[in-house]
Amino acid sequence: MTDLNTIVIDEADQALKAKHRAMWASGDYPTLAHDLIWSLGPRVVEAVDVRAGERVIDIAAGSGNAAIPAAKRGADVVATDLTPELFGDGHRRAQDAGAELEWRPADAEALPFGEDEFDVAISTVGVMFAPHHERSAGEIIRVVRPGGRIGLISWTPQGFIGQLFAALKPFNAPLPPGAQPAPLWGDEAHVRELFGDRVTDVRAVRESVRFDRFATGEEFRAYFASHYGPTIAVYNRNADDPAAVAAIDEALRGLGDRAIERDGVIDSEFLLFTATVR
C-alpha cells in the first residue's frame, strides 16, 4: 500500500510540474522579465555579495536576470529552471553581456546536485512558484555549503503582484493537496519558519520595483494577458465562460487603474531575504 501511495503522489507531482512548465512557457515571460523586473537580478546579486570564483546556483532562473550579473562578477554560475524554454533568451542575453554560465533544466524541489555543492543560492521571483515550499527550502539548504549564502526575492502577498494573484484566485483551479500559495514566500514569518535554525544572519527587507510602462489599467491587463503565464493560464481555464472572462478583464483592469491613479505608476513590493547556512 505504501508503494502504491508513493506512485500516486509521484504521478500527481509529475502532472503538476508538467502543468507549471507549460504555463511558464506560454506567453513571453523573457520579454516581461526584461521589461519589468530585470533590475531585481542585480539587486539580489549585490545583496549576497557574489564574488569571483564562487559557485552559484540560480534557482528558477528564467532567462537569467540574476544568473547573468552573477556570472559577470566572475562567479561559476549554474542557471536552473523547470522550464528550459526560457533559456534561449537567456543564452542570447548572456552572450551580449559577455557572460559565461551553465544552463540546466532542474526542478527546485529535486535539484540534481550534490550536498554542499554551492557557495551561494539565489532566486528572483522564481523558487516562490514551486508548489511545495518545505521541499524547495530543504533543497536550498542541502546544496549550499555551511557558511554559504542565500538570497531570495519574492513578491509579497500585499504587494501589487500579490494582489494580482488574489484577484485571479476566484477564477483559478484550487491548489492541489500539499501545495501552498506562491506569495507566502514574500511573508517574512513564513520564510523564517521554512528555514528555521538551519540558517543564521537572517535579514529580510521589503522593497519595490516600478512598472512604468503602463498608462492605464487596460494597458496593464492586455500586457499581462499576453505575456504572463499565470494570467494566460487563468484566461485559458475560463475561455468557455464569457462572463468569467469579462470578470477577469475587469478585475485586472481595475487593479491596474487603482495603482496608477494612486501613484502614477505601478509599484510592486517584494521581500528580499538573505541568510547564511549554518
PDB file of all heavy atoms in Angstrom, residues 43-44 47-48 150-154 156 158 184-193 195 199-208 269-276:
ATOM      1  N   ARG A  43      20.018  43.244  -8.024  1.00  0.00           N
ATOM      2  CA  ARG A  43      19.753  43.569  -6.614  1.00  0.00           C
ATOM      3  C   ARG A  43      20.065  42.392  -5.711  1.00  0.00           C
ATOM      4  O   ARG A  43      20.698  42.556  -4.652  1.00  0.00           O
ATOM      5  CB  ARG A  43      18.285  43.988  -6.450  1.00  0.00           C
ATOM      6  CG  ARG A  43      17.902  44.343  -5.023  1.00  0.00           C
ATOM      7  CD  ARG A  43      18.569  45.629  -4.561  1.00  0.00           C
ATOM      8  NE  ARG A  43      18.356  45.893  -3.147  1.00  0.00           N
ATOM      9  CZ  ARG A  43      19.226  45.628  -2.171  1.00  0.00           C
ATOM     10  NH1 ARG A  43      20.404  45.071  -2.449  1.00  0.00           N
ATOM     11  NH2 ARG A  43      18.948  45.921  -0.917  1.00  0.00           N
ATOM     12  N   VAL A  44      19.624  41.182  -6.068  1.00  0.00           N
ATOM     13  CA  VAL A  44      19.891  40.036  -5.205  1.00  0.00           C
ATOM     14  C   VAL A  44      21.362  39.642  -5.258  1.00  0.00           C
ATOM     15  O   VAL A  44      21.940  39.215  -4.250  1.00  0.00           O
ATOM     16  CB  VAL A  44      18.960  38.850  -5.561  1.00  0.00           C
ATOM     17  CG1 VAL A  44      19.398  38.138  -6.834  1.00  0.00           C
ATOM     18  CG2 VAL A  44      18.872  37.872  -4.403  1.00  0.00           C
ATOM     19  N   ALA A  47      23.032  41.905  -2.928  1.00  0.00           N
ATOM     20  CA  ALA A  47      22.650  41.653  -1.530  1.00  0.00           C
ATOM     21  C   ALA A  47      23.444  40.511  -0.914  1.00  0.00           C
ATOM     22  O   ALA A  47      23.745  40.541   0.287  1.00  0.00           O
ATOM     23  CB  ALA A  47      21.151  41.362  -1.433  1.00  0.00           C
ATOM     24  N   VAL A  48      23.779  39.499  -1.711  1.00  0.00           N
ATOM     25  CA  VAL A  48      24.561  38.368  -1.176  1.00  0.00           C
ATOM     26  C   VAL A  48      26.042  38.498  -1.511  1.00  0.00           C
ATOM     27  O   VAL A  48      26.833  37.623  -1.168  1.00  0.00           O
ATOM     28  CB  VAL A  48      24.023  37.014  -1.680  1.00  0.00           C
ATOM     29  CG1 VAL A  48      22.655  36.728  -1.106  1.00  0.00           C
ATOM     30  CG2 VAL A  48      24.004  36.953  -3.199  1.00  0.00           C
ATOM     31  N   ILE A 150      22.430  32.622   1.026  1.00  0.00           N
ATOM     32  CA  ILE A 150      21.162  32.505   0.313  1.00  0.00           C
ATOM     33  C   ILE A 150      20.613  33.909   0.074  1.00  0.00           C
ATOM     34  O   ILE A 150      20.608  34.735   0.992  1.00  0.00           O
ATOM     35  CB  ILE A 150      20.134  31.693   1.134  1.00  0.00           C
ATOM     36  CG1 ILE A 150      20.645  30.276   1.401  1.00  0.00           C
ATOM     37  CG2 ILE A 150      18.777  31.668   0.450  1.00  0.00           C
ATOM     38  CD1 ILE A 150      19.820  29.541   2.449  1.00  0.00           C
ATOM     39  N   GLY A 151      20.119  34.154  -1.132  1.00  0.00           N
ATOM     40  CA  GLY A 151      19.462  35.418  -1.438  1.00  0.00           C
ATOM     41  C   GLY A 151      18.226  35.182  -2.284  1.00  0.00           C
ATOM     42  O   GLY A 151      18.313  34.626  -3.387  1.00  0.00           O
ATOM     43  N   LEU A 152      17.063  35.567  -1.769  1.00  0.00           N
ATOM     44  CA  LEU A 152      15.791  35.307  -2.435  1.00  0.00           C
ATOM     45  C   LEU A 152      14.961  36.580  -2.528  1.00  0.00           C
ATOM     46  O   LEU A 152      14.845  37.325  -1.548  1.00  0.00           O
ATOM     47  CB  LEU A 152      14.988  34.258  -1.657  1.00  0.00           C
ATOM     48  CG  LEU A 152      15.701  32.956  -1.288  1.00  0.00           C
ATOM     49  CD1 LEU A 152      14.814  32.112  -0.385  1.00  0.00           C
ATOM     50  CD2 LEU A 152      16.105  32.181  -2.526  1.00  0.00           C
ATOM     51  N   ILE A 153      14.393  36.810  -3.691  1.00  0.00           N
ATOM     52  CA  ILE A 153      13.425  37.891  -3.865  1.00  0.00           C
ATOM     53  C   ILE A 153      12.085  37.255  -4.218  1.00  0.00           C
ATOM     54  O   ILE A 153      11.996  36.433  -5.134  1.00  0.00           O
ATOM     55  CB  ILE A 153      13.869  38.878  -4.958  1.00  0.00           C
ATOM     56  CG1 ILE A 153      15.003  39.776  -4.432  1.00  0.00           C
ATOM     57  CG2 ILE A 153      12.691  39.719  -5.445  1.00  0.00           C
ATOM     58  CD1 ILE A 153      15.543  40.765  -5.440  1.00  0.00           C
ATOM     59  N   SER A 154      11.041  37.633  -3.470  1.00  0.00           N
ATOM     60  CA  SER A 154       9.705  37.063  -3.663  1.00  0.00           C
ATOM     61  C   SER A 154       8.662  38.166  -3.541  1.00  0.00           C
ATOM     62  O   SER A 154       8.795  39.069  -2.709  1.00  0.00           O
ATOM     63  CB  SER A 154       9.428  35.989  -2.605  1.00  0.00           C
ATOM     64  OG  SER A 154      10.440  35.011  -2.578  1.00  0.00           O
ATOM     65  N   THR A 156       5.468  39.988  -2.296  1.00  0.00           N
ATOM     66  CA  THR A 156       4.743  39.917  -1.025  1.00  0.00           C
ATOM     67  C   THR A 156       3.257  39.721  -1.277  1.00  0.00           C
ATOM     68  O   THR A 156       2.723  40.124  -2.323  1.00  0.00           O
ATOM     69  CB  THR A 156       4.937  41.198  -0.197  1.00  0.00           C
ATOM     70  OG1 THR A 156       4.344  42.307  -0.899  1.00  0.00           O
ATOM     71  CG2 THR A 156       6.409  41.479   0.061  1.00  0.00           C
ATOM     72  N   GLN A 158       0.792  41.300   0.028  1.00  0.00           N
ATOM     73  CA  GLN A 158       0.068  42.572  -0.011  1.00  0.00           C
ATOM     74  C   GLN A 158       0.523  43.488  -1.138  1.00  0.00           C
ATOM     75  O   GLN A 158      -0.127  44.502  -1.403  1.00  0.00           O
ATOM     76  CB  GLN A 158       0.189  43.301   1.332  1.00  0.00           C
ATOM     77  CG  GLN A 158       1.593  43.705   1.685  1.00  0.00           C
ATOM     78  CD  GLN A 158       2.333  42.627   2.469  1.00  0.00           C
ATOM     79  OE1 GLN A 158       2.051  41.445   2.347  1.00  0.00           O
ATOM     80  NE2 GLN A 158       3.288  43.052   3.289  1.00  0.00           N
ATOM     81  N   LEU A 184       3.263  33.426  -0.310  1.00  0.00           N
ATOM     82  CA  LEU A 184       3.705  33.191   1.069  1.00  0.00           C
ATOM     83  C   LEU A 184       5.220  33.335   1.202  1.00  0.00           C
ATOM     84  O   LEU A 184       5.716  33.673   2.285  1.00  0.00           O
ATOM     85  CB  LEU A 184       3.288  31.787   1.534  1.00  0.00           C
ATOM     86  CG  LEU A 184       1.862  31.610   2.037  1.00  0.00           C
ATOM     87  CD1 LEU A 184       1.609  30.156   2.425  1.00  0.00           C
ATOM     88  CD2 LEU A 184       1.591  32.532   3.228  1.00  0.00           C
ATOM     89  N   TRP A 185       5.952  33.108   0.123  1.00  0.00           N
ATOM     90  CA  TRP A 185       7.401  33.314   0.165  1.00  0.00           C
ATOM     91  C   TRP A 185       7.749  34.787   0.405  1.00  0.00           C
ATOM     92  O   TRP A 185       8.882  35.105   0.788  1.00  0.00           O
ATOM     93  CB  TRP A 185       8.050  32.840  -1.133  1.00  0.00           C
ATOM     94  CG  TRP A 185       8.352  31.378  -1.179  1.00  0.00           C
ATOM     95  CD1 TRP A 185       7.547  30.394  -1.661  1.00  0.00           C
ATOM     96  CD2 TRP A 185       9.552  30.733  -0.736  1.00  0.00           C
ATOM     97  NE1 TRP A 185       8.175  29.182  -1.548  1.00  0.00           N
ATOM     98  CE2 TRP A 185       9.400  29.348  -0.992  1.00  0.00           C
ATOM     99  CE3 TRP A 185      10.742  31.181  -0.164  1.00  0.00           C
ATOM    100  CZ2 TRP A 185      10.390  28.417  -0.690  1.00  0.00           C
ATOM    101  CZ3 TRP A 185      11.732  30.249   0.140  1.00  0.00           C
ATOM    102  CH2 TRP A 185      11.550  28.884  -0.118  1.00  0.00           C
ATOM    103  N   GLY A 186       6.797  35.669   0.175  1.00  0.00           N
ATOM    104  CA  GLY A 186       7.018  37.086   0.440  1.00  0.00           C
ATOM    105  C   GLY A 186       6.624  37.495   1.843  1.00  0.00           C
ATOM    106  O   GLY A 186       6.693  38.677   2.186  1.00  0.00           O
ATOM    107  N   ASP A 187       6.231  36.531   2.672  1.00  0.00           N
ATOM    108  CA  ASP A 187       5.891  36.777   4.071  1.00  0.00           C
ATOM    109  C   ASP A 187       7.098  36.387   4.928  1.00  0.00           C
ATOM    110  O   ASP A 187       7.502  35.222   4.959  1.00  0.00           O
ATOM    111  CB  ASP A 187       4.668  35.967   4.462  1.00  0.00           C
ATOM    112  CG  ASP A 187       4.266  36.176   5.905  1.00  0.00           C
ATOM    113  OD1 ASP A 187       4.852  35.516   6.781  1.00  0.00           O
ATOM    114  OD2 ASP A 187       3.382  37.016   6.156  1.00  0.00           O
ATOM    115  N   GLU A 188       7.679  37.350   5.609  1.00  0.00           N
ATOM    116  CA  GLU A 188       8.916  37.094   6.354  1.00  0.00           C
ATOM    117  C   GLU A 188       8.771  35.956   7.354  1.00  0.00           C
ATOM    118  O   GLU A 188       9.658  35.094   7.469  1.00  0.00           O
ATOM    119  CB  GLU A 188       9.369  38.364   7.074  1.00  0.00           C
ATOM    120  CG  GLU A 188      10.636  38.167   7.890  1.00  0.00           C
ATOM    121  CD  GLU A 188      11.078  39.418   8.627  1.00  0.00           C
ATOM    122  OE1 GLU A 188      10.563  40.519   8.305  1.00  0.00           O
ATOM    123  OE2 GLU A 188      11.934  39.295   9.525  1.00  0.00           O
ATOM    124  N   ALA A 189       7.665  35.930   8.081  1.00  0.00           N
ATOM    125  CA  ALA A 189       7.475  34.885   9.086  1.00  0.00           C
ATOM    126  C   ALA A 189       7.454  33.502   8.448  1.00  0.00           C
ATOM    127  O   ALA A 189       8.012  32.537   8.996  1.00  0.00           O
ATOM    128  CB  ALA A 189       6.191  35.139   9.864  1.00  0.00           C
ATOM    129  N   HIS A 190       6.820  33.392   7.302  1.00  0.00           N
ATOM    130  CA  HIS A 190       6.739  32.107   6.608  1.00  0.00           C
ATOM    131  C   HIS A 190       8.132  31.633   6.181  1.00  0.00           C
ATOM    132  O   HIS A 190       8.485  30.462   6.364  1.00  0.00           O
ATOM    133  CB  HIS A 190       5.835  32.245   5.385  1.00  0.00           C
ATOM    134  CG  HIS A 190       5.697  30.984   4.583  1.00  0.00           C
ATOM    135  ND1 HIS A 190       5.016  29.881   5.034  1.00  0.00           N
ATOM    136  CD2 HIS A 190       6.150  30.665   3.338  1.00  0.00           C
ATOM    137  CE1 HIS A 190       5.044  28.929   4.118  1.00  0.00           C
ATOM    138  NE2 HIS A 190       5.734  29.375   3.076  1.00  0.00           N
ATOM    139  N   VAL A 191       8.935  32.531   5.611  1.00  0.00           N
ATOM    140  CA  VAL A 191      10.253  32.132   5.128  1.00  0.00           C
ATOM    141  C   VAL A 191      11.174  31.800   6.298  1.00  0.00           C
ATOM    142  O   VAL A 191      11.955  30.839   6.247  1.00  0.00           O
ATOM    143  CB  VAL A 191      10.865  33.226   4.234  1.00  0.00           C
ATOM    144  CG1 VAL A 191      12.189  32.756   3.636  1.00  0.00           C
ATOM    145  CG2 VAL A 191       9.905  33.594   3.113  1.00  0.00           C
ATOM    146  N   ARG A 192      11.081  32.571   7.367  1.00  0.00           N
ATOM    147  CA  ARG A 192      11.877  32.241   8.557  1.00  0.00           C
ATOM    148  C   ARG A 192      11.508  30.855   9.084  1.00  0.00           C
ATOM    149  O   ARG A 192      12.383  30.081   9.497  1.00  0.00           O
ATOM    150  CB  ARG A 192      11.650  33.298   9.648  1.00  0.00           C
ATOM    151  CG  ARG A 192      12.398  34.612   9.418  1.00  0.00           C
ATOM    152  CD  ARG A 192      12.129  35.577  10.549  1.00  0.00           C
ATOM    153  NE  ARG A 192      12.856  36.833  10.415  1.00  0.00           N
ATOM    154  CZ  ARG A 192      14.084  37.041  10.905  1.00  0.00           C
ATOM    155  NH1 ARG A 192      14.699  36.073  11.566  1.00  0.00           N
ATOM    156  NH2 ARG A 192      14.670  38.209  10.738  1.00  0.00           N
ATOM    157  N   GLU A 193      10.216  30.532   9.050  1.00  0.00           N
ATOM    158  CA  GLU A 193       9.793  29.220   9.522  1.00  0.00           C
ATOM    159  C   GLU A 193      10.284  28.114   8.589  1.00  0.00           C
ATOM    160  O   GLU A 193      10.677  27.032   9.046  1.00  0.00           O
ATOM    161  CB  GLU A 193       8.267  29.171   9.626  1.00  0.00           C
ATOM    162  CG  GLU A 193       7.729  27.862  10.173  1.00  0.00           C
ATOM    163  CD  GLU A 193       6.220  27.854  10.330  1.00  0.00           C
ATOM    164  OE1 GLU A 193       5.586  28.906  10.077  1.00  0.00           O
ATOM    165  OE2 GLU A 193       5.680  26.792  10.689  1.00  0.00           O
ATOM    166  N   PHE A 195      13.051  27.968   6.855  1.00  0.00           N
ATOM    167  CA  PHE A 195      14.475  27.697   7.038  1.00  0.00           C
ATOM    168  C   PHE A 195      14.836  27.410   8.495  1.00  0.00           C
ATOM    169  O   PHE A 195      15.803  26.702   8.777  1.00  0.00           O
ATOM    170  CB  PHE A 195      15.312  28.858   6.497  1.00  0.00           C
ATOM    171  CG  PHE A 195      15.297  28.947   4.997  1.00  0.00           C
ATOM    172  CD1 PHE A 195      14.580  29.946   4.353  1.00  0.00           C
ATOM    173  CD2 PHE A 195      15.989  28.023   4.237  1.00  0.00           C
ATOM    174  CE1 PHE A 195      14.560  30.021   2.968  1.00  0.00           C
ATOM    175  CE2 PHE A 195      15.980  28.089   2.850  1.00  0.00           C
ATOM    176  CZ  PHE A 195      15.261  29.093   2.215  1.00  0.00           C
ATOM    177  N   VAL A 199      19.598  28.299   9.280  1.00  0.00           N
ATOM    178  CA  VAL A 199      20.287  29.482   8.769  1.00  0.00           C
ATOM    179  C   VAL A 199      20.530  30.463   9.907  1.00  0.00           C
ATOM    180  O   VAL A 199      19.881  30.414  10.959  1.00  0.00           O
ATOM    181  CB  VAL A 199      19.476  30.174   7.652  1.00  0.00           C
ATOM    182  CG1 VAL A 199      19.317  29.256   6.449  1.00  0.00           C
ATOM    183  CG2 VAL A 199      18.122  30.638   8.158  1.00  0.00           C
ATOM    184  N   THR A 200      21.458  31.367   9.666  1.00  0.00           N
ATOM    185  CA  THR A 200      21.749  32.443  10.606  1.00  0.00           C
ATOM    186  C   THR A 200      21.955  33.728   9.812  1.00  0.00           C
ATOM    187  O   THR A 200      21.841  33.731   8.577  1.00  0.00           O
ATOM    188  CB  THR A 200      23.000  32.094  11.439  1.00  0.00           C
ATOM    189  OG1 THR A 200      23.186  33.087  12.449  1.00  0.00           O
ATOM    190  CG2 THR A 200      24.241  31.996  10.569  1.00  0.00           C
ATOM    191  N   ASP A 201      22.238  34.822  10.494  1.00  0.00           N
ATOM    192  CA  ASP A 201      22.466  36.116   9.830  1.00  0.00           C
ATOM    193  C   ASP A 201      21.296  36.483   8.913  1.00  0.00           C
ATOM    194  O   ASP A 201      21.489  37.005   7.815  1.00  0.00           O
ATOM    195  CB  ASP A 201      23.764  36.099   9.016  1.00  0.00           C
ATOM    196  CG  ASP A 201      24.981  35.798   9.850  1.00  0.00           C
ATOM    197  OD1 ASP A 201      25.006  36.214  11.018  1.00  0.00           O
ATOM    198  OD2 ASP A 201      25.905  35.137   9.342  1.00  0.00           O
ATOM    199  N   VAL A 202      20.094  36.214   9.374  1.00  0.00           N
ATOM    200  CA  VAL A 202      18.910  36.455   8.548  1.00  0.00           C
ATOM    201  C   VAL A 202      18.638  37.960   8.454  1.00  0.00           C
ATOM    202  O   VAL A 202      18.680  38.687   9.449  1.00  0.00           O
ATOM    203  CB  VAL A 202      17.689  35.737   9.125  1.00  0.00           C
ATOM    204  CG1 VAL A 202      16.410  36.165   8.397  1.00  0.00           C
ATOM    205  CG2 VAL A 202      17.872  34.233   9.053  1.00  0.00           C
ATOM    206  N   ARG A 203      18.355  38.389   7.239  1.00  0.00           N
ATOM    207  CA  ARG A 203      17.938  39.770   7.010  1.00  0.00           C
ATOM    208  C   ARG A 203      16.790  39.748   6.014  1.00  0.00           C
ATOM    209  O   ARG A 203      16.875  39.094   4.966  1.00  0.00           O
ATOM    210  CB  ARG A 203      19.089  40.615   6.462  1.00  0.00           C
ATOM    211  CG  ARG A 203      18.749  42.105   6.321  1.00  0.00           C
ATOM    212  CD  ARG A 203      20.004  42.935   6.056  1.00  0.00           C
ATOM    213  NE  ARG A 203      19.699  44.351   6.011  1.00  0.00           N
ATOM    214  CZ  ARG A 203      19.487  45.056   4.892  1.00  0.00           C
ATOM    215  NH1 ARG A 203      19.574  44.446   3.717  1.00  0.00           N
ATOM    216  NH2 ARG A 203      19.222  46.339   4.941  1.00  0.00           N
ATOM    217  N   ALA A 204      15.704  40.413   6.331  1.00  0.00           N
ATOM    218  CA  ALA A 204      14.534  40.460   5.461  1.00  0.00           C
ATOM    219  C   ALA A 204      14.050  41.897   5.361  1.00  0.00           C
ATOM    220  O   ALA A 204      13.708  42.514   6.376  1.00  0.00           O
ATOM    221  CB  ALA A 204      13.426  39.558   5.991  1.00  0.00           C
ATOM    222  N   VAL A 205      14.042  42.429   4.150  1.00  0.00           N
ATOM    223  CA  VAL A 205      13.614  43.810   3.932  1.00  0.00           C
ATOM    224  C   VAL A 205      12.608  43.858   2.791  1.00  0.00           C
ATOM    225  O   VAL A 205      12.690  43.076   1.844  1.00  0.00           O
ATOM    226  CB  VAL A 205      14.805  44.741   3.618  1.00  0.00           C
ATOM    227  CG1 VAL A 205      15.740  44.837   4.805  1.00  0.00           C
ATOM    228  CG2 VAL A 205      15.563  44.264   2.381  1.00  0.00           C
ATOM    229  N   ARG A 206      11.669  44.779   2.912  1.00  0.00           N
ATOM    230  CA  ARG A 206      10.694  44.984   1.841  1.00  0.00           C
ATOM    231  C   ARG A 206      11.146  46.142   0.966  1.00  0.00           C
ATOM    232  O   ARG A 206      11.477  47.222   1.465  1.00  0.00           O
ATOM    233  CB  ARG A 206       9.313  45.278   2.419  1.00  0.00           C
ATOM    234  CG  ARG A 206       8.664  44.098   3.122  1.00  0.00           C
ATOM    235  CD  ARG A 206       7.284  44.473   3.598  1.00  0.00           C
ATOM    236  NE  ARG A 206       6.648  43.397   4.359  1.00  0.00           N
ATOM    237  CZ  ARG A 206       5.441  43.475   4.882  1.00  0.00           C
ATOM    238  NH1 ARG A 206       4.734  44.595   4.738  1.00  0.00           N
ATOM    239  NH2 ARG A 206       4.941  42.456   5.548  1.00  0.00           N
ATOM    240  N   GLU A 207      11.131  45.900  -0.323  1.00  0.00           N
ATOM    241  CA  GLU A 207      11.456  46.925  -1.303  1.00  0.00           C
ATOM    242  C   GLU A 207      10.409  46.841  -2.413  1.00  0.00           C
ATOM    243  O   GLU A 207       9.485  46.025  -2.345  1.00  0.00           O
ATOM    244  CB  GLU A 207      12.876  46.720  -1.842  1.00  0.00           C
ATOM    245  CG  GLU A 207      13.950  46.773  -0.764  1.00  0.00           C
ATOM    246  CD  GLU A 207      15.358  46.575  -1.304  1.00  0.00           C
ATOM    247  OE1 GLU A 207      15.521  46.534  -2.553  1.00  0.00           O
ATOM    248  OE2 GLU A 207      16.295  46.429  -0.492  1.00  0.00           O
ATOM    249  N   SER A 208      10.537  47.670  -3.423  1.00  0.00           N
ATOM    250  CA  SER A 208       9.574  47.611  -4.515  1.00  0.00           C
ATOM    251  C   SER A 208      10.265  47.889  -5.839  1.00  0.00           C
ATOM    252  O   SER A 208      11.327  48.517  -5.893  1.00  0.00           O
ATOM    253  CB  SER A 208       8.422  48.603  -4.293  1.00  0.00           C
ATOM    254  OG  SER A 208       8.902  49.934  -4.308  1.00  0.00           O
ATOM    255  N   GLU A 269       5.663  45.488  -4.538  1.00  0.00           N
ATOM    256  CA  GLU A 269       6.510  45.213  -3.378  1.00  0.00           C
ATOM    257  C   GLU A 269       7.035  43.773  -3.417  1.00  0.00           C
ATOM    258  O   GLU A 269       6.339  42.847  -3.817  1.00  0.00           O
ATOM    259  CB  GLU A 269       5.713  45.425  -2.098  1.00  0.00           C
ATOM    260  CG  GLU A 269       6.530  45.263  -0.822  1.00  0.00           C
ATOM    261  CD  GLU A 269       5.688  45.412   0.429  1.00  0.00           C
ATOM    262  OE1 GLU A 269       4.820  44.549   0.667  1.00  0.00           O
ATOM    263  OE2 GLU A 269       5.890  46.400   1.146  1.00  0.00           O
ATOM    264  N   PHE A 270       8.284  43.614  -2.977  1.00  0.00           N
ATOM    265  CA  PHE A 270       8.879  42.289  -2.833  1.00  0.00           C
ATOM    266  C   PHE A 270       9.642  42.205  -1.521  1.00  0.00           C
ATOM    267  O   PHE A 270       9.989  43.230  -0.906  1.00  0.00           O
ATOM    268  CB  PHE A 270       9.809  41.950  -4.001  1.00  0.00           C
ATOM    269  CG  PHE A 270      10.974  42.894  -4.188  1.00  0.00           C
ATOM    270  CD1 PHE A 270      12.164  42.710  -3.496  1.00  0.00           C
ATOM    271  CD2 PHE A 270      10.891  43.962  -5.079  1.00  0.00           C
ATOM    272  CE1 PHE A 270      13.247  43.562  -3.668  1.00  0.00           C
ATOM    273  CE2 PHE A 270      11.964  44.833  -5.251  1.00  0.00           C
ATOM    274  CZ  PHE A 270      13.146  44.631  -4.554  1.00  0.00           C
ATOM    275  N   LEU A 271       9.872  40.973  -1.077  1.00  0.00           N
ATOM    276  CA  LEU A 271      10.690  40.706   0.088  1.00  0.00           C
ATOM    277  C   LEU A 271      12.055  40.234  -0.369  1.00  0.00           C
ATOM    278  O   LEU A 271      12.162  39.286  -1.141  1.00  0.00           O
ATOM    279  CB  LEU A 271      10.048  39.622   0.971  1.00  0.00           C
ATOM    280  CG  LEU A 271      10.815  39.286   2.262  1.00  0.00           C
ATOM    281  CD1 LEU A 271      10.637  40.387   3.300  1.00  0.00           C
ATOM    282  CD2 LEU A 271      10.348  37.937   2.822  1.00  0.00           C
ATOM    283  N   LEU A 272      13.102  40.908   0.106  1.00  0.00           N
ATOM    284  CA  LEU A 272      14.476  40.471  -0.122  1.00  0.00           C
ATOM    285  C   LEU A 272      14.960  39.781   1.134  1.00  0.00           C
ATOM    286  O   LEU A 272      15.116  40.397   2.184  1.00  0.00           O
ATOM    287  CB  LEU A 272      15.367  41.672  -0.467  1.00  0.00           C
ATOM    288  CG  LEU A 272      16.871  41.396  -0.552  1.00  0.00           C
ATOM    289  CD1 LEU A 272      17.194  40.373  -1.621  1.00  0.00           C
ATOM    290  CD2 LEU A 272      17.630  42.698  -0.805  1.00  0.00           C
ATOM    291  N   PHE A 273      15.176  38.472   1.023  1.00  0.00           N
ATOM    292  CA  PHE A 273      15.556  37.631   2.163  1.00  0.00           C
ATOM    293  C   PHE A 273      16.968  37.123   1.936  1.00  0.00           C
ATOM    294  O   PHE A 273      17.266  36.510   0.905  1.00  0.00           O
ATOM    295  CB  PHE A 273      14.589  36.460   2.285  1.00  0.00           C
ATOM    296  CG  PHE A 273      14.920  35.470   3.380  1.00  0.00           C
ATOM    297  CD1 PHE A 273      14.375  35.638   4.648  1.00  0.00           C
ATOM    298  CD2 PHE A 273      15.762  34.395   3.149  1.00  0.00           C
ATOM    299  CE1 PHE A 273      14.664  34.727   5.666  1.00  0.00           C
ATOM    300  CE2 PHE A 273      16.051  33.486   4.156  1.00  0.00           C
ATOM    301  CZ  PHE A 273      15.505  33.650   5.417  1.00  0.00           C
ATOM    302  N   THR A 274      17.866  37.394   2.886  1.00  0.00           N
ATOM    303  CA  THR A 274      19.222  36.862   2.817  1.00  0.00           C
ATOM    304  C   THR A 274      19.553  36.148   4.115  1.00  0.00           C
ATOM    305  O   THR A 274      19.044  36.509   5.186  1.00  0.00           O
ATOM    306  CB  THR A 274      20.260  37.965   2.543  1.00  0.00           C
ATOM    307  OG1 THR A 274      20.190  38.957   3.589  1.00  0.00           O
ATOM    308  CG2 THR A 274      20.023  38.629   1.206  1.00  0.00           C
ATOM    309  N   ALA A 275      20.393  35.135   4.019  1.00  0.00           N
ATOM    310  CA  ALA A 275      20.764  34.361   5.199  1.00  0.00           C
ATOM    311  C   ALA A 275      22.044  33.587   4.897  1.00  0.00           C
ATOM    312  O   ALA A 275      22.447  33.436   3.745  1.00  0.00           O
ATOM    313  CB  ALA A 275      19.647  33.406   5.602  1.00  0.00           C
ATOM    314  N   THR A 276      22.654  33.085   5.967  1.00  0.00           N
ATOM    315  CA  THR A 276      23.832  32.227   5.860  1.00  0.00           C
ATOM    316  C   THR A 276      23.478  30.831   6.374  1.00  0.00           C
ATOM    317  O   THR A 276      22.817  30.695   7.410  1.00  0.00           O
ATOM    318  CB  THR A 276      24.986  32.794   6.708  1.00  0.00           C
ATOM    319  OG1 THR A 276      25.299  34.120   6.245  1.00  0.00           O
ATOM    320  CG2 THR A 276      26.231  31.918   6.612  1.00  0.00           C
TER     321      THR A 276
END
